[in-house]
Amino acid sequence: MKQLNLTLHYHQYEWIVQNDQLKFKARELDELDAKIKNYLTQQNWRGQVEINFYFDFENFPRWMRQYMPHYFNKRLILNL
């Protein structure tokens, strides 16, 4: 299984995931999933891919502070 690790944060009504090579933005988390899947498909990734989203607590919005940041960590497994 291939693995992809991304940092997730929220800024000005958008969710943003990124690492050193990639960056995606969307208003909804589902849109991010779709953008990542489309990108990986275009890049000819095949097989099972585990994508780990780790929330960046340094950019934690005030309105979310009632939640623990690890609630926003996410794991997505795609079969390409």
Side-chain angles (χ1 to χ4, degrees), residues 14-78:
E14 284 189 310
W15 291 101
I16 302 164
V17 291
Q18 63 187 46
N19 64 17
D20 292 339
Q21 295 86 27
L22 308 171
K23 185 174 186 177
F24 300 97
K25 297 180 182 182
R27 293 224 175 221
E28 301 292 330
L29 289 171
D30 290 347
E31 288 177 60
L32 282 177
D33 296 351
K35 287 181 177 186
I36 293 167
K37 183 177 182 179
N38 288 339
Y39 172 80
L40 295 176
T41 301
Q42 291 173 357
Q43 296 298 311
N44 294 316
W45 285 50
R46 297 291 179 251
Q48 198 171 57
V49 180
E50 178 181 333
I51 303 164
N52 296 301
F53 301 79
Y54 299 104
F55 199 82
D56 177 9
F57 190 65
E58 297 299 319
N59 293 304
F60 206 58
R62 289 192 182 275
W63 64 270
M64 286 186 188
R65 298 225 171 150
Q66 63 186 329
Y67 305 106
M68 295 298 293
H70 65 268
Y71 291 166
F72 295 92
N73 290 343
K74 179 179 171 178
R75 188 172 122 199
L76 175 66
I77 296 177
L78 299 174

